[in-house]
Amino acid sequence: MSKKTKPEAEEQEQVKTEAPAEETVKADAKPATDWEAKYNDLNDRYLRMAAEYDNFRKRSQREREQAYTDAVSRAVTALLPTYDNLERALKAETADTEYKKGVELTMTQLTESLKGINVTVIDAAAGTAFDPNFHNAVMHVEDESLGENVIAETFQQGFQIGDKVIRHAMVKVAN
């Protein structure tokens, strides 16, 4: 090992001190971009996860509402024969006023109960326009007093909950 002269030693020290400074600048620049890239990656992942959670929450809400609508429609479907029989009983002629009043009260109570669970009767009165989304045409009649595709008579009431049809109204269509 040779001894270095004083000027050579100072020169080497200057090189050594300058080199680490340049490396430090380069090293500082590299971690900054690494941290920025990591931050952007994590932020992107966070935003995607938040959007995924929001979609999951909305989908779960729709599924709950759909399950409720399906359950109500099944229950109402089971009650519809009772509604039809009460409607026929109201149309039948009877001399017993108490019997007729009892049937009317029962029908009113059933109708109010259906309204309470957001079940509505589909409008199928005579003279309204025929809509295949809500009405089921079982007969056709030529009647000049009624217009084209107009309901002439309703045989069976239809029901819906929201936009979902539980049972189509059974009608006779004119012209």
Side-chain angles (χ1 to χ4, degrees):
M1 303 227 171
S2 68
K3 287 191 171 186
K4 295 180 185 176
T5 61
K6 202 170 188 184
E8 286 178 346
E10 286 177 8
E11 208 174 287
Q12 284 181 351
E13 282 181 28
Q14 282 179 351
V15 171
K16 286 182 183 177
T17 57
E18 288 176 10
E22 290 174 9
E23 289 175 13
T24 309
V25 171
K26 289 179 184 175
D28 287 343
K30 189 173 182 183
T33 57
D34 286 346
W35 283 106
E36 189 176 339
K38 285 180 183 179
Y39 169 78
N40 288 338
D41 181 49
L42 288 174
N43 190 37
D44 185 52
R45 287 174 43 194
Y46 167 74
L47 291 175
R48 288 179 188 275
M49 186 173 58
E52 223 174 277
Y53 175 73
D54 190 45
N55 290 340
F56 169 75
R57 187 179 52 76
K58 289 176 183 176
R59 185 175 57 248
S60 296
Q61 179 67 25
R62 278 193 309 268
E63 288 173 357
R64 277 193 303 274
E65 290 171 358
Q66 185 64 36
Y68 173 77
T69 303
D70 290 344
V72 169
S73 67
R74 287 184 185 150
V76 170
T77 301
L79 291 174
L80 289 181
T82 305
Y83 180 91
D84 294 337
N85 288 333
L86 286 171
E87 197 172 47
R88 285 187 206 103
L90 285 173
K91 289 179 183 176
E93 294 295 323
T94 182
D96 190 2
T97 58
E98 293 299 317
Y99 169 77
K100 186 162 182 87
K101 186 176 180 180
V103 172
E104 287 173 355
L105 289 173
T106 305
M107 182 63 147
T108 303
Q109 187 177 16
L110 179 60
T111 305
E112 291 301 316
S113 296
L114 292 174
K115 285 180 186 175
I117 55 175
N118 297 324
V119 175
T120 57
V121 176
I122 294 173
D123 185 24
T128 59
F130 174 75
D131 184 358
N133 296 321
F134 300 110
H135 307 116
N136 182 15
V138 293
M139 288 182 70
H140 181 79
V141 65
E142 293 294 329
D143 190 353
E144 297 303 322
S145 63
L146 296 172
E148 184 80 19
N149 285 333
V150 174
I151 296 173
E153 184 179 352
T154 303
F155 298 120
Q156 192 176 50
Q157 284 293 339
F159 294 89
Q160 68 182 20
I161 180 167
D163 293 335
K164 181 179 181 181
V165 175
I166 297 171
R167 178 175 79 182
H168 291 81
M170 197 180 307
V171 297
K172 181 193 315 184
V173 180
N175 302 330

